[in-house]
């Protein structure tokens, strides 16, 4: 894989406060191309943090995992799209009507911007395992549940999924070559697992079919975040054809 292509595949998760997020963004400028804004940062700073990162030249994955009645999700997708987010997440469990409403909101916002925010459906969180699913009344194997939600998302206009690297190969076969397959739960060799249960290395995730990988603490917690990011990019360029 070419270095330039590898840089486009890595999304850096900024799950921190504004001061640290901006410090990391400046440190990663010229290295990373994608930043992920999750609930911790967004609920503190709102849409302006998305606009700030866009002004700094980054693509933004706004990972709020929309999950509500269709009317609310339609409005949320529209508002998030108008804030400038390039990629949005929505819970796959929210029903076909909710997923279709999410697409409608993004489409509506595209009339006021040059493109449409892409959408990915959350399948099974990477912190969850079979016991976790059983706790919420789902008896199906993790891979089967992830596939079911992926099919539901695709049938209702969603561009791809968020899944663990373990399911990425099945998702690619199921959804086809153009689907977005975003995989958290990625840890470089030797990194601590944190609260992730179903993990893989960056190269393994891409080789299994991921279009993008999400990496947080191994980069943001490093003494030199840019060097940690570049090490992952180098791994992808070296190990992925």
């Amino acid at each position: 894989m070419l270095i330039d292509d590898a840089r486009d595949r890595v999304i850096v998760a900024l799950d921190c406060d504004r001061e640290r997020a901006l410090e990391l963004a400046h440190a990663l400028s010229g290295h990373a191309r994608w930043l992920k804004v999750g609930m911790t940062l967004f609920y503190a700073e709102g849409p302006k943090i998305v606009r700030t990162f866009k002004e700094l030249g980054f693509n933004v994955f706004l990972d709020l995992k929309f999950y509500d009645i269709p009317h609310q999700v339609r409005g949320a997708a529209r508002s998030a799209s108008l804030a400038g987010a390039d990629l949005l997440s929505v819970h796959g469990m929210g029903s076909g009507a909710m997923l279709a409403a999410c697409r409608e909101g993004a489409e509506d916002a595209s009339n006021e911007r040059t493109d449409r925010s892409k959408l990915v459906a959350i399948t099974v969180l990477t912190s969850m395992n079979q016991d976790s699913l059983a706790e919420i009344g789902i008896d199906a194997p993790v891979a089967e549940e992830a596939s079911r939600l992926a099919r539901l998302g695709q049938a209702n206009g969603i561009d791809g999924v968020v899944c663990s690297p373990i399911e990425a190969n099945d998702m690619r076969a199921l959804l086809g070559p153009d689907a977005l397959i975003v995989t958290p739960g990625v840890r470089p060799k030797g990194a601590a697992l944190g609260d992730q249960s179903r993990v893989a290395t960056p190269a393994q995730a891409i080789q299994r079919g991921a279009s993008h990988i999400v990496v947080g603490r191994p980069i943001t917690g490093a003494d030199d975040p840019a060097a940690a990011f570049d090490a992952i990019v180098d791994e992808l360029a070296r190990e992925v054809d």
Side-chain angles (χ1 to χ4, degrees), residues 10-29 31-32 34-38 40-41 53 58 186-188 191-192 194-196 213-232:
V10 184
I11 302 174
V12 182
L14 301 185
D15 297 318
C16 53
D17 63 24
R18 181 179 184 276
E19 182 178 358
R20 179 58 177 160
L22 291 176
E23 180 183 338
L24 287 163
H26 287 294
L28 292 165
S29 180
H31 299 264
W34 279 90
L35 300 178
K36 182 179 84 75
V37 175
T40 297
L41 183 55
F53 291 149
F58 292 99
V186 173
R187 290 290 183 267
D195 53 7
Q196 303 291 348
I213 61 175
V214 178
V215 185
R217 284 163 283 188
I219 294 174
T220 61
D223 292 337
D224 185 340
F229 176 88
D230 287 341
I232 291 172

Side-chain angles (χ1 to χ4, degrees), residues 61-136:
F61 172 24
L62 185 54
D63 183 24
L64 299 182
K65 301 177 176 67
F66 303 140
Y67 192 6
D68 208 322
I69 63 172
H71 175 74
Q72 288 284 10
V73 169
R74 183 185 294 108
R78 182 180 186 279
S79 296
S81 296
L82 291 177
D86 300 279
L87 182 63
L88 302 170
S89 65
V90 55
H91 259 295
M93 286 187 179
S95 82
M98 190 199 78
L99 293 166
C102 186
R103 174 64 183 253
E104 290 166 7
E107 291 278 7
D108 188 35
S110 70
N111 295 323
E112 299 180 41
R113 46 180 283 178
T114 58
D115 58 358
R116 174 179 65 80
S117 298
K118 298 296 185 181
L119 307 170
V120 284
I122 304 295
T123 55
V124 178
L125 295 172
T126 51
S127 60
M128 298 180 75
N129 55 27
Q130 199 64 52
D131 291 339
S132 304
L133 282 183
E135 285 180 339
I136 59 172

Side-chain angles (χ1 to χ4, degrees), residues 7 188 202 219 224-238:
R7 291 189 188 281
I219 294 174
D224 185 340
F229 176 88
D230 287 341
I232 291 172
V233 168
D234 289 343
E235 176 190 329
L236 295 180
R238 184 176 62 253

